[in-house]
Amino acid sequence: MAEAHQAVAFQFTVTPEGLDLRLSREAVRQLCLAAAHAWKKRLVQAKNTFLSGVYPASPSSWVLVVMATAGSVYCQVDPSRGLITRIQHYLPQSQFLSADGRAVLSAALFGTGVWLGTVLLFRRALRLLLTYHGWMFEPHGRLSRRTRIWMVMMKVLSFRKPLLYSFQTSLPKLPVPPVQATITRYLESVRPLMDNEKYNKMETLAKEFKGTIAPRLQKYLILKSWWTTNYVSDWWEEYIYLRGRSPIMVNSNYYVMDFLYVTPSHIQAARAGNAVHAIILYRRKLDRGELPPLMALGIVPMCSSQMERMFNTTRIPGKETDQLVHLGDSRHVAVFHRGRFYKLWLYQGARLLPPCDLQLQFQRILDDPSGPQPGEERLAALTAGERGPWAEARARFFSHGPNKASLEAIERAAFFVTLDEEAHGAVPRREGCMDAYAKSLLHGRCYDRWFDKSFTLVVYSNGKLGANAEHSWADAPVVGHLWEFMLGTDRFELGYTEDGHCKGEPNTMLPPPQRLQWDIPEECCAAIERSYLLARALAEDVDFHVFQFSDFGKGLIKRCRTSPDAFIQISLQLAHFRDKGQFCLTYEASMTRLFRDGRTETVRSCTAESTAFVRSMADPAQSRAERQRLFRLAAEKHQLMYRLAMTGAGIDRHLFCLYLVSRYLGLQSPFLAQVLSEPWRLSTSQTPQHQLNKFDLNKFPDHIATGGGFGPVADDGYGVSYIIAGENLINFHVSSKFSSPET
C-alpha cells in the first residue's frame, strides 16, 4: 500500500551515539519537486494577480512610460513641471548614486506615478462603461448610435487579452432598486394569479409596507451596498443554502450529464483517467488565471468570482449553519467504489499524472477484491440526510483517530470520484433509461456520492459520465463551464487508443491508491442508518422524466424572430395550464454576473401577457392572428423581465434582503412574510452550453450535450430544466414527487 512505501522512505534508529537518520534519495527528490511546484504556483498566482490588478495596462507599458520620462530628463526636457526635481530633492543622499543617477531615479518614480494614475483612470473609465446596460434593451440587429460609441470605447479600453480575473475590480456593484419600483413590479407579477379579493388584500399590505417600515429597511440596505461588493450574495449563500437543515440531496444539489449520443470510451477506468486529468488541467488554468472570462457580445465581462471555490472545497455541517471550507490546493482526489473509500494522488512530485497512469490507478481500485469495513459502505449517507444529525455525528465520531484522518482525506480532496457499478445513458428503444440516469446522478443509492463536496464525478461501468454538484458555492453555469472543458478535452485533445484505453504507457511502479481506514462504532452505524433511511425515502419519492424534443429547435424558433427561451417559457405556461387548469407562481433563474459577485435573480415567467396568450389557446373563438399577436406580446414581456433581472432591477432578491433587514431589526411585515412564503410550484432553469469553443457542433453534430437537472422545489410542484442542444433539439429534465396527488 501507499503508506508502506512512504514509511520506508524515512528510516531512523536510536543509538548510544545519537539518532541515526537515513533518508531515501527518491523521497527527498519527490519532496523537493513538490516544494518547487508549490512555489512555482505561488509565483504564477502573484504574477497573475499583478497583471489583473493593472489591466488594461501591462508591465511593458510601464517600461515605456519610465523610459520616455527618463529620456526626456536626459534631453533636459521636464514633462513634470518641476515635480521630478522636487522628488530628487527628497531622495536620501547616497554615495552609490551620482547626480545623474538621482535624476534618472526621480524620473522613474515620476513615470511610475503617472503610469499608476493612468491605470486607475482607465479602470475607473472601464467601470463607468460597464454600468451601461442599454445594449440589452435594443432590438436585435438595430443598435443605437449611443451603443455603438459605447462598444468602440469598450474595445479600446479592453484591447489586451484579459486574464480570468482582469475585470473583477472594474465590475460595477449590484444596485439596490427603489422600493416603489420593486413593489409595483411585484404586484404586476402576482395579478394574474389572484382573484380580485386576494389581490386587493395584497395591494393593501404592500401600501402599508411602503408607507411604514420600507424606507427604514431600504436605508439599511443601501448602507450595506456601500461597504460590500454585493448586497445580496453573502446573505443568499448563508440563508438560502448554508442555514438550511433539510437534506441537500435532491433539495439543493443538481446534476449534469455526459454527451447524449457519444461515449468516447466504454472502459470505465480509461474514461475516469481522461476525465480526471482534463479536470485537473482546467484547475491548473483556473489557478493561473489563464481561462478567459465569459464575455457578452464579446466585450462585456461577467463576474468570475464563483469559480474560485470550484476545487478543494467542502461544505462542513454545523448545528445551526454549515460553512464552506476552501483550501488553496489539493494534490489528491477521494474515490468511492463498492462501499470502499480511497485516496488517489494526482501528482508524482511536481508532475501531474498522465491519463494512462490515472487509468492504472483507477483499475487497481476496480480490481481490489477487499470488502468494506464495518459501517464504511453507507458512510456517505450522512451527507445525504439532515444537516443537524450529520453535524452531531461528525463532532462525536470523526474528531480523532483514523476516522478524523480519513474524513480529512475526503474533505481536503480536490473533488470526489465515484466509480459506479451500474451502467447508464441513452439506449435506443429502452423506455425510461434517461429517467434512471437522471435519478442515479441526482441521488444514486444515497450513499455513493459525497454530497458535501463541491462536485462528485460519477463514472459508470459502461464509461458514461455525470456529476452531482453542491449548490451553495456556485450556480450551474459555473459547473457547466468546467464540464464543457472536460468533455471537449477528453474527446478531442486527450483521446483514446483504438481499443479504448488512455494513450501512453503507464508507470507500473506507482504506489497504489491508499485505502482509507475507519473505526466506526455501533452508535455511529445507527446514525448512518437513520440518515440513509431518511435519504432513501426522499430519493424514492422523486419522479423524473428526461426526454428529447426533436420536432424543431432554436433554428425554427429564431426564424420566427422569437427568443428561444421566451418560446419555451410560454410553452411551459401553456402545458401547465392544460395540465392543471390554472396558473402558478413560476421561477426562472437568471444570472446577475454582469455585477461583481453576482449570482442569480428570479424571472417571474407567469405574466399577464403569457396568461392572456394561454387563455387564447384554450378559446376556440380566438383567431390565429390574435393568438400570434398575444404570443408576440408575451414573448416581448418575458424578454423585458429577463433583461431587468440581469441588470439589477429584479424583484425577489431585493424583497429577500428587505425581509432579512426587518428580521435583524425585530420588525414585523405582513407583506414581506406573505411574499417570502409563496411557493414556487413551477421552478425552471435553462442550462447554458457552448460557453467555450472546444469544438464545432456543426462539424460534430452527434456531440450534443444532454444538460442537467434538479429536484422539485415545492412538494406539489415541478422542477424543469432544459437545454437548447442544437438547431433541432431541446432536452428537457422534469422532476416531481410521487407523494403529491397534484403531480
Side-chain angles (χ1 to χ4, degrees), residues 575-593:
H576 187 274
F577 184 79
R578 286 177 171 175
D579 180 45
K580 301 294 182 186
Q582 61 184 6
F583 299 101
C584 70
L585 197 61
T586 304
Y587 181 108
E588 181 187 6
S590 164
M591 65 92 178
T592 56
R593 290 170 65 193

Side-chain angles (χ1 to χ4, degrees), residues 164-165 282 286 291-294 303-311 326 473-474 478 481-482 593:
L164 180 62
Y165 301 114
Y282 182 91
L286 185 64
L291 295 167
L294 286 179
C303 180
S304 302
S305 64
Q306 292 183 54
M307 304 173 82
E308 295 173 354
R309 298 183 294 183
M310 184 177 294
F311 297 98
H326 171 70
W473 63 273
V478 176
H481 194 275
L482 161 69
R593 290 170 65 193

Side-chain angles (χ1 to χ4, degrees), residues 324-587:
L324 285 172
V325 173
H326 171 70
L327 305 176
D329 193 18
S330 179
R331 298 171 62 82
H332 71 278
V333 292
V335 184
F336 178 90
H337 174 61
R338 216 160 45 81
R340 304 158 304 169
F341 292 87
Y342 298 83
K343 181 179 183 179
L344 191 157
W345 292 101
L346 299 169
Y347 292 84
Q348 186 181 28
R351 183 183 71 99
L352 174 63
L353 294 183
C356 56
D357 285 352
L358 290 170
Q359 177 183 348
L360 171 66
Q361 298 291 64
F362 283 118
Q363 193 59 53
R364 285 172 169 175
I365 293 174
L366 292 171
D367 295 339
D368 185 353
S370 63
Q373 300 163 68
E376 180 183 18
E377 182 177 18
R378 294 180 177 176
L379 174 63
L382 289 170
T383 69
E386 292 182 339
R387 307 305 293 173
W390 171 209
E392 183 181 344
R394 186 178 185 277
R396 183 179 177 189
F397 303 113
F398 297 91
S399 59
H400 58 275
N403 290 349
K404 180 181 180 181
S406 295
L407 182 62
E408 284 184 348
I410 295 173
E411 294 180 341
R412 298 175 70 88
F415 54 94
F416 195 80
V417 180
T418 294
L419 300 175
D420 206 293
E421 300 171 71
E422 298 179 346
H424 282 289
V427 180
R429 294 180 297 277
R430 181 181 292 180
E431 190 72 24
C433 61
M434 294 298 289
D435 305 347
Y437 186 15
K439 282 179 65 68
S440 174
L441 288 174
L442 185 66
H443 53 68
R445 298 180 180 178
C446 304
Y447 58 80
D448 50 359
R449 288 93 174 92
W450 199 271
F451 295 100
D452 286 354
K453 287 299 292 182
S454 54
F455 66 93
T456 295
L457 174 68
V458 182
V459 188
Y460 292 102
S461 61
N462 62 342
K464 271 294 181 185
L465 296 177
N468 180 287
E470 202 275 319
H471 208 327
S472 64
W473 63 273
D475 300 308
V478 176
V479 174
H481 194 275
L482 161 69
W483 199 247
E484 284 187 25
F485 180 93
M486 184 274 294
L487 291 179
T489 303
D490 168 37
R491 175 65 179 84
F492 295 100
E493 295 181 20
L494 299 177
Y496 300 88
T497 62
E498 291 184 0
D499 53 357
H501 292 280
C502 295
K503 294 179 179 179
E505 290 296 325
N507 178 12
T508 56
M509 300 303 293
L510 283 173
Q514 177 184 342
R515 177 76 184 274
L516 299 184
Q517 301 301 311
W518 307 94
D519 182 16
I520 301 177
E522 288 296 324
E523 298 93 330
C524 184
C525 289
I528 293 171
E529 186 66 16
R530 287 192 295 271
S531 291
Y532 168 69
L533 292 175
L534 186 148
R536 189 180 68 177
L538 177 62
E540 289 176 348
D541 194 25
V542 175
D543 185 12
F544 233 107
H545 186 42
V546 180
F547 63 96
Q548 293 76 49
F549 179 82
S550 56
D551 292 359
F552 57 85
K554 67 178 180 182
L556 177 61
I557 298 172
K558 285 186 173 181
R559 286 197 294 273
C560 297
R561 297 183 179 180
T562 301
S563 159
D565 184 70
F567 183 93
I568 294 173
Q569 286 291 327
I570 296 169
S571 300
L572 290 174
Q573 292 298 318
L574 177 60
H576 187 274
F577 184 79
R578 286 177 171 175
D579 180 45
K580 301 294 182 186
Q582 61 184 6
F583 299 101
C584 70
L585 197 61
T586 304
Y587 181 108

Side-chain angles (χ1 to χ4, degrees), residues 182-197:
T182 297
I183 291 177
T184 300
R185 283 196 290 269
Y186 169 77
L187 291 174
E188 181 185 348
S189 71
V190 297
R191 186 65 187 94
L193 305 173
M194 297 180 176
D195 57 30
N196 291 335
E197 182 181 352

Side-chain angles (χ1 to χ4, degrees), residues 235-246 315 319-322 387 664:
W235 284 350
W236 185 255
E237 179 180 297
E238 179 179 359
Y239 289 98
I240 297 301
Y241 295 116
L242 298 181
R243 282 185 178 263
R245 301 293 83 198
S246 60
R315 178 170 172 165
K319 188 174 182 180
E320 295 182 356
T321 182
D322 296 350
R387 307 305 293 173
Y664 280 134

Side-chain angles (χ1 to χ4, degrees), residues 25-50:
R25 182 177 299 176
E26 178 62 23
V28 173
R29 176 177 172 273
Q30 294 297 330
L31 286 174
C32 291
L33 288 173
H37 170 76
W39 277 106
K40 181 180 178 182
K41 180 179 178 181
R42 290 191 185 98
L43 290 174
V44 170
Q45 289 177 337
K47 183 194 75 172
N48 289 336
T49 300
F50 172 75

Side-chain angles (χ1 to χ4, degrees), residues 508-695:
T508 56
M509 300 303 293
L510 283 173
Q514 177 184 342
R515 177 76 184 274
L516 299 184
Q517 301 301 311
W518 307 94
D519 182 16
I520 301 177
E522 288 296 324
E523 298 93 330
C524 184
C525 289
I528 293 171
E529 186 66 16
R530 287 192 295 271
S531 291
Y532 168 69
L533 292 175
L534 186 148
R536 189 180 68 177
L538 177 62
E540 289 176 348
D541 194 25
V542 175
D543 185 12
F544 233 107
H545 186 42
V546 180
F547 63 96
Q548 293 76 49
F549 179 82
S550 56
D551 292 359
F552 57 85
K554 67 178 180 182
L556 177 61
I557 298 172
K558 285 186 173 181
R559 286 197 294 273
C560 297
R561 297 183 179 180
T562 301
S563 159
D565 184 70
F567 183 93
I568 294 173
Q569 286 291 327
I570 296 169
S571 300
L572 290 174
Q573 292 298 318
L574 177 60
H576 187 274
F577 184 79
R578 286 177 171 175
D579 180 45
K580 301 294 182 186
Q582 61 184 6
F583 299 101
C584 70
L585 197 61
T586 304
Y587 181 108
E588 181 187 6
S590 164
M591 65 92 178
T592 56
R593 290 170 65 193
L594 296 175
F595 303 94
R596 190 170 180 183
D597 294 337
R599 292 201 59 163
T600 61
E601 178 57 274
T602 304
V603 180
R604 292 176 168 241
S605 302
C606 185
T607 62
E609 289 79 3
S610 66
T611 56
F613 164 73
V614 169
R615 293 187 188 280
S616 74
M617 293 294 290
D619 184 1
Q622 292 286 353
S623 66
R624 182 172 182 174
E626 178 62 12
R627 288 171 176 170
Q628 289 178 339
R629 186 187 71 83
L630 292 173
F631 176 82
R632 295 285 181 198
L633 292 175
E636 290 171 3
K637 182 57 179 288
H638 180 270
Q639 283 297 91
L640 175 62
M641 296 288 289
Y642 202 95
R643 290 162 179 161
L644 288 171
M646 287 184 65
T647 53
I651 301 169
D652 291 275
R653 299 303 178 268
H654 186 204
L655 293 175
F656 164 75
C657 290
L658 289 172
Y659 175 75
L660 283 182
V661 174
S662 72
R663 296 302 301 269
Y664 280 134
L665 297 177
L667 301 175
Q668 297 294 326
S669 170
F671 170 72
L672 291 176
Q674 177 67 27
V675 170
L676 271 294
S677 65
E678 293 170 341
W680 300 97
R681 291 192 171 88
L682 184 56
S683 181
T684 70
S685 179
Q686 179 183 174
T687 303
Q689 70 162 348
H690 295 305
Q691 301 179 80
L692 298 166
N693 296 319
K694 295 296 290 185
F695 62 92

